[in-house]
Amino acid sequence: MRVAISAALCEVANDPPTPGVRHPYEKPVVANFLTTGDYRVRCLEVDPEREIPIYPFPEQAVRALAKVIAYHEYRDKDPGVVPELDRIHTEKSRDVILASTPMGMGDEPSFALAWPALSDALAAIGLQAASEPDERAEEYAAFHVTIETDPLFGPLLRLHLSSEERGVAVLRRTVTQTLPAVRLIPLTDADARGIWSEAEVNSGSASMEPHRDTVLDAVLRMSQWGEEVPEVIRADLYFAVDRGKAICVAGHVEVARPNG
């Protein structure tokens, strides 16, 4: 019986939409053989280049197909373009950061950027910072941006939005997020719109909608900063919004030790 089913699966995988015409891409085919005692996912060879995954439970097969659909929808989206921003000088920002390298670091691989240098580095990319960091900023900040490096994917940017009921820090710590508001750097304009939508869903409020353009401008500036200033290995910044401008009110930036 299993041999016959396997042969039928191979026939389905090779069945073109039009007789005699090969499909431009292979159709996704998964299978389920209910078994006992062996719950590994196995593969059935269709030809030397293709295999069909055989799942021990139908729920696993359905979830796999759902992931295929989600990936197809992702690939089918307009990737957008990396926008050209005015008043952004990443080389100047990089010079500020490198000039702030403390003497006598020893074997330390990185250092925390002092607030005055952080303020100047942000000013070079068109972002304002408060004269002093506010210890209470986490509780009232309008949004929070993190840049970090994933060992597999590379630099990532995360966004958290505040809401009327909860500060951004409380939201970040307590809410189980259904959509990870994160994108690979550099962000395109489409990425920025997507990360906004996901962060807004996570916030549970539309209170930040009037500040959407301000937040996205700051996100795109930090994205370009993270891309073109590789010494920044982590940034964790809180922003307030005042009269249409994003102002960094707290946070820290970790900088890799310069070579040489």
Side-chain angles (χ1 to χ4, degrees):
M1 175 66 74
R2 181 170 293 190
V3 173
I5 294 175
S6 299
L9 286 171
C10 292
E11 183 179 346
V12 168
N14 284 316
D15 182 32
T18 303
V21 178
R22 186 174 178 81
H23 204 285
Y25 54 85
E26 307 303 336
K27 69 176 72 174
V29 177
V30 300
N32 162 234
F33 287 167
L34 290 172
T35 58
T36 57
D38 186 357
Y39 301 127
R40 292 176 295 173
V41 177
R42 300 182 179 276
C43 290
L44 172 66
E45 184 177 299
V46 177
D47 57 40
E49 298 180 353
R50 294 178 300 158
E51 294 179 331
I52 295 175
I54 309 296
Y55 294 92
F57 299 102
E59 295 84 358
Q60 289 178 304
V62 171
R63 283 196 292 267
L65 282 178
K67 294 293 185 181
V68 170
I69 293 171
Y71 181 65
H72 169 74
E73 291 175 346
Y74 168 75
R75 291 289 302 269
D76 205 39
K77 287 181 179 178
D78 176 11
V81 296
V82 177
E84 294 185 8
L85 304 171
D86 60 353
R87 300 179 297 104
I88 184 166
H89 306 285
T90 52
E91 278 300 320
K92 181 179 178 181
S93 182
R94 186 167 184 258
D95 290 342
V96 169
I97 290 173
L98 294 179
S100 67
T101 305
M103 300 295 292
M105 284 186 63
D107 295 329
E108 293 296 325
S110 63
F111 65 94
L113 200 60
W115 187 260
L118 172 56
S119 179
D120 290 342
L122 291 178
I125 62 171
L127 292 173
Q128 285 185 244
S131 56
E132 297 289 340
D134 189 335
E135 295 180 357
R136 296 180 54 252
E138 292 188 15
E139 304 305 326
Y140 73 81
F143 64 100
H144 170 245
V145 180
T146 301
I147 293 176
E148 57 191 350
T149 300
D150 182 273
L152 180 60
F153 297 105
L156 304 174
L157 185 145
R158 299 180 186 273
L159 173 65
H160 296 89
L161 297 177
S162 184
S163 68
E164 295 173 346
E165 298 81 13
R166 294 167 291 187
V168 67
V170 176
L171 176 71
R172 180 167 59 90
R173 290 194 296 264
T174 61
V175 173
T176 301
Q177 298 184 351
T178 56
L179 293 171
V182 57
R183 290 294 186 280
L184 290 169
I185 291 176
L187 272 69
T188 66
D189 51 0
D191 288 330
R193 292 190 296 271
I195 200 173
W196 167 270
S197 298
E198 292 162 8
E200 190 173 44
V201 168
N202 291 334
S203 75
S205 169
S207 61
M208 286 294 293
E209 186 62 34
H211 308 300
R212 180 177 185 272
D213 291 344
T214 300
V215 174
L216 292 188
D217 178 75
V219 164
L220 288 168
R221 290 179 186 279
M222 287 198 63
S223 167
Q224 188 169 334
W225 189 49
E227 171 74 3
E228 298 182 6
V229 185
E231 288 80 9
V232 174
I233 55 178
R234 180 174 175 82
D236 191 25
L237 302 179
Y238 292 88
F239 289 85
V241 177
D242 183 23
R243 285 172 281 189
K245 292 184 178 180
I247 301 174
C248 182
V249 291
H252 68 273
V253 172
E254 184 180 358
V255 179
R257 177 177 181 169
N259 293 327

